[in-house]
């Protein structure tokens, strides 16, 4: 070994006692932290799984609704008068609610 490189002959580093109270408290703190992190990870995994499951169900329902809407849109030529009448009633209802006047019949 060169003079600038320290050698590891064992004499320079004293042996640490395993009964040292500071080391024991550090070990307890590390174990406590690991336990808390483990609990947090489990809770996060469970909630993530629930969220993904709900999103998957919502995606399935959304695809079904979108397919029905596209099918209805494709057949819109068959329902022209109904669409016009429904839109007129809907818009008339919105205008009546905005002006607070309902037609009396």
């Amino acid at each position: 070994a060169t003079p600038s490189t320290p050698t590891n002959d064992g004499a320079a580093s004293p042996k640490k006692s395993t009964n040292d109270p500071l080391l024991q408290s550090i070990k307890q703190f590390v174990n406590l932290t690991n336990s808390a992190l483990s609990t947090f990870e489990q809770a996060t995994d469970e909630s993530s799984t629930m969220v993904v499951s709900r999103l998957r169900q919502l995606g399935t329902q959304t695809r079904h609704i979108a397919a029905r809407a596209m099918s209805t849109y494709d057949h819109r030529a068959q329902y022209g008068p109904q669409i016009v009448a429904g839109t007129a009633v809907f818009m008339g209802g919105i205008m009546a609610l905005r002006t607070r006047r309902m037609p009396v019949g």
Side-chain angles (χ1 to χ4, degrees), residues 46-67:
E46 288 173 7
S47 63
S48 295
T49 302
M50 288 174 46
V51 168
V52 168
S53 174
R54 297 287 184 235
L55 286 176
R56 191 173 293 135
Q57 289 175 354
L58 282 173
T60 302
Q61 291 174 356
T62 303
R63 270 185 252 121
H64 176 70
I65 291 169

Side-chain angles (χ1 to χ4, degrees), residues 2-102:
T2 62
S4 63
T5 307
T7 58
N8 191 5
D9 59 0
S13 61
K15 184 82 172 171
K16 293 186 179 181
S17 171
T18 57
N19 294 332
D20 186 15
L22 179 63
L23 288 177
Q24 292 300 321
S25 62
I26 290 173
K27 285 181 182 180
Q28 287 177 348
F29 181 74
V30 168
N31 287 336
L32 245 165
T33 303
N34 287 342
S35 176
L37 288 173
S38 173
T39 303
F40 179 73
E41 183 179 14
Q42 285 176 343
T44 304
D45 285 347
E46 288 173 7
S47 63
S48 295
T49 302
M50 288 174 46
V51 168
V52 168
S53 174
R54 297 287 184 235
L55 286 176
R56 191 173 293 135
Q57 289 175 354
L58 282 173
T60 302
Q61 291 174 356
T62 303
R63 270 185 252 121
H64 176 70
I65 291 169
R68 298 247 350 225
M70 290 300 295
S71 175
T72 302
Y73 183 77
D74 288 341
H75 295 110
R76 70 189 181 281
Q78 298 171 2
Y79 303 107
Q82 292 91 341
I83 292 172
V84 170
T87 303
V89 168
F90 178 73
M91 294 305 291
I94 289 176
M95 293 304 293
L97 288 173
R98 287 188 69 192
T99 60
R100 295 187 180 138
R101 289 188 191 172
M102 291 301 285

